Each structure stands twice: as C-alpha cells, then as structure tokens.
Amino acid sequence: MRTKRFIFSIIALAIAMTVGAQNEMSTAILQSGETVTMFTGINALIDAHTAANDGDVITLSAGKFNGTTISKSVSIYGAGFETDASIGTDITEVYGLTIGKEGSTLSGVHIEGMLISGTFNVGGTNANAPLAGLQVVKVKMNSSQETRIFSDMVNALFSQCIFLYVLRGYPDANNVQGTIAFNNCYFASDFSYFKTGCILNIDHCIVGSFTCSSSNISNSIVYKIPGNNYNPVYNNIVSTFDNYWNGTNWYNVSQNQIFADVESNYFVYSPERTFEIQQPDVWKATDGTEIGIRGGDGWSKAPSTPVLKNLRTRVDGATLQVDYQAVPR
C-alpha cells in the first residue's frame, strides 16, 4: 500500500512538474488515502502540512520551500540534497524546519531527501513534547546553521545525513532523555552539550571532535578539528591521534593515511568525494563491512522515492492518460 501511495504521489508530482516546468514551480503533493492534492509555490510545504492528516505522505519537487513546524505524523520526501544526474537526484531546499508539538508525544515522523538551509530544531520551546520513532534520512544540514535537539527521544534515527555545522543539545540537553542513533552520517563539525540522560549511538560515521560524555561510538572515523581541544570518547574507531587511547576494533593511523580519495583537506565534505578509506579490507567493522560511511547500510544520496522513466501524458477526450515506468533507486 505504501509503494502504491508513493508511486501515486510521484506520478502526480511528475505531471505537475511537466505542466509547470517553464515556471520552475516548487510543488508539494499530498497523498491522503486515495486523494491526491497539489500545492505550488514557496509555501507549498506549509500548505500541504496544514491540509495533512496523521499517516499522510508529502512529496516535494526540486526547488525552494519555506519551512514550518511538523506537528503531525507525516512522511515528507524530497528530490535530494544535491544535484547528481547519475543517480537522478536534485535539490529540495527547505528554509528552516522544526519537528514536534506541545502536549502529547509525536510519533512516526519521517523526513527524507532534502537540504535544510535554516536552523533544524528537533523539538523546541513550543514543540517540546517527546518524539517517538523519528527518522531523518539523507538530509543535509546547512554549513552555517545548527541542528538542535530539544525533546526527549524514543528510538530516533538519523541515517546517511550530513551535518555541515554543529549538532547540539538544547538547553544544554539537561532535560533531554532517550536514545538517538546516527548511522552512516558525516559530521563536518562537532556535537556537544548532550548530558548523560541522552545517549548517542554513533555507528559507521565520520565524526568531528565533541564534548559528549554519553556516546557509544563504533565502526567510525573520529578526527580532531584544528584548534578544537575537546576530547572524544574513544572506542571502536579509526583514530587520527597517536598512542593515547585503547579500545577494541580500533586502528591507530594518521590523517594522511585514512582516505584514498583525496591528497589534502581530508575531512572537508564535497559532493564529489567518496570517502573511500585506504585499507577497506583491513579496517573492518563488526558487521564485516569497511569502517566509515561506506560500510553498514552503505552511503547513498538518493532518497527512496522511485524514479519515473518513460513518463508520457496525453489527453484522450476528457481523460488524462499517463504511461510510465517506476524503477526503485
């Protein structure tokens, strides 16, 4: 049923984009049961969320969208966080986003395939009820805005995300409880201010220095940001430090011995980078895959919306005929 709803939304979105291509419209398709509604313009996401019910799916085209507070149990899928013709992604850019509501727990929110260019607030002053089952997948956070965690978490997951600026617990995360998993993520900066009530489980990630005492790091590369003297928690890592910490499944290498895809600027993110490590057959994670974002579930920029090929639309009398081929990414 979910695949059917996906394809239904994608077809509607493709038709909308075909009709409005010359106007470069930002388009949001709301799938509610068997009803499909299209919203256009920079406020399309706001309008679609306002009209949505719990369990609905919102599919966004490439383009720019004003953000909003996601206070319903919806799934939102964008076109991607980078343009890459080889895998069929383009950029869905959202200007700021908050997830949460007041009062009762918000469950089952799924955010995937977009660039968040403003502050990303997970919870907040007026949206600080607990979040359960939150999934943030293949989302890139802007290089000048923080990702802020305010709310208690139950089984939260960030997967294949890029954090180009700091991830922080607010306010000092003194009241934030629960567990947050980060899988196959890239942290260009540090994360900090999470206290013992909030446990971060970090696996198959590339991680900057941090001040978090309540973290479990495994199968990851941890590096030191120049000028940053914070001490990471060291276990199960490829380390850029020499002969100081001990652990299991841990390899002591220098910065210029980690990655095979660059000769300098080892920890700078760019769309072209693969982050292939120099010894993938040696530096193994506990699941048998290579350490870092290429291991585990594997690194992919493409959101899980299907690619439509051979899309053709034609009018037959009063009927719109649609021919298409839907292929999983």
Side-chain angles (χ1 to χ4, degrees):
M1 180 64 180
R2 185 170 185 174
T3 301
K4 178 182 177 183
R5 294 176 68 180
F6 246 152
I7 295 175
F8 214 3
S9 295
I10 294 296
I11 293 171
L13 181 58
I15 294 170
M17 292 174 68
T18 301
V19 173
Q22 293 181 344
N23 297 324
E24 297 184 352
M25 288 190 302
S26 297
T27 305
I29 299 296
L30 171 64
Q31 177 73 42
S32 183
E34 297 300 320
T35 301
V36 177
T37 307
M38 181 177 70
F39 303 89
T40 60
I42 196 166
N43 290 324
L45 171 58
I46 299 173
D47 296 337
H49 178 266
T50 299
N53 298 310
D54 288 342
D56 288 353
V57 177
I58 299 172
T59 306
L60 305 177
S61 70
K64 300 181 185 296
F65 298 84
N66 284 330
T68 186
T69 297
I70 305 303
S71 58
K72 301 174 183 179
S73 300
V74 295
S75 297
I76 304 174
Y77 294 86
F81 58 70
E82 287 173 357
T83 299
D84 190 331
S86 66
I87 56 175
T89 65
D90 208 339
I91 300 175
T92 297
E93 184 174 6
V94 178
Y95 296 112
L97 197 66
T98 297
I99 301 174
K101 64 180 182 180
E102 288 187 284
S104 58
T105 298
L106 177 61
S107 301
V109 174
H110 185 106
I111 307 293
E112 183 167 344
M114 65 188 67
L115 166 67
I116 299 178
S117 60
T119 301
F120 184 25
N121 293 322
V122 183
T125 303
N126 297 315
N128 54 6
L131 295 170
L134 171 67
Q135 293 188 348
V136 181
V137 181
K138 297 173 184 174
V139 171
K140 179 175 164 184
M141 275 52 99
N142 187 277
S143 60
S144 62
Q145 299 291 335
E146 297 178 340
T147 300
R148 301 173 174 178
I149 309 291
F150 290 89
S151 296
D152 290 354
M153 297 289 177
V154 180
N155 298 326
L157 171 65
F158 289 77
S159 178
Q160 300 188 35
C161 292
I162 298 172
F163 299 84
L164 293 182
Y165 198 52
V166 296
L167 169 70
R168 288 184 174 169
Y170 273 81
D172 290 340
N174 286 323
N175 299 316
V176 176
Q177 304 290 318
T179 301
I180 309 173
F182 296 88
N183 295 340
N184 301 99
C185 292
Y186 175 88
F187 296 85
S189 188
D190 64 290
F191 52 91
S192 55
Y193 301 118
F194 291 92
K195 305 303 180 182
T196 55
C198 187
I199 306 299
L200 306 185
N201 291 327
I202 299 162
D203 186 67
H204 285 94
C205 292
I206 298 175
V207 183
S209 302
F210 59 96
T211 58
C212 197
S213 62
S214 53
S215 301
N216 301 312
I217 301 179
S218 58
N219 309 313
S220 298
I221 295 172
V222 178
Y223 63 94
K224 186 175 182 180
I225 301 169
N228 190 337
N229 294 318
Y230 295 144
N231 291 326
V233 176
Y234 286 86
N235 63 315
N236 305 330
I237 62 173
V238 173
S239 173
T240 63
F241 299 84
D242 294 328
N243 303 319
Y244 193 84
W245 292 274
N246 296 313
T248 58
N249 194 37
W250 175 77
Y251 305 90
N252 181 30
V253 297
S254 62
Q255 284 189 352
N256 61 359
Q257 294 175 325
I258 294 177
F259 296 113
D261 64 335
V262 293
E263 296 180 356
S264 61
N265 297 322
Y266 304 106
F267 303 108
V268 173
Y269 176 83
S270 70
E272 296 75 28
R273 290 207 55 187
T274 64
F275 291 98
E276 180 182 359
I277 58 178
Q278 291 190 22
Q279 300 188 60
D281 295 329
V282 176
W283 298 338
K284 290 288 189 179
T286 54
D287 60 7
T289 65
E290 71 178 71
I291 282 178
I293 60 177
R294 293 162 53 91
D297 292 333
W299 177 252
S300 172
K301 302 174 186 177
S304 58
T305 49
V307 176
L308 287 185
K309 295 185 176 181
N310 304 319
L311 175 70
R312 297 186 300 274
T313 62
R314 64 187 185 277
V315 177
D316 182 8
T319 303
L320 177 65
Q321 301 287 340
V322 180
D323 299 316
Y324 68 95
Q325 178 185 8
V327 181
R329 291 185 192 266

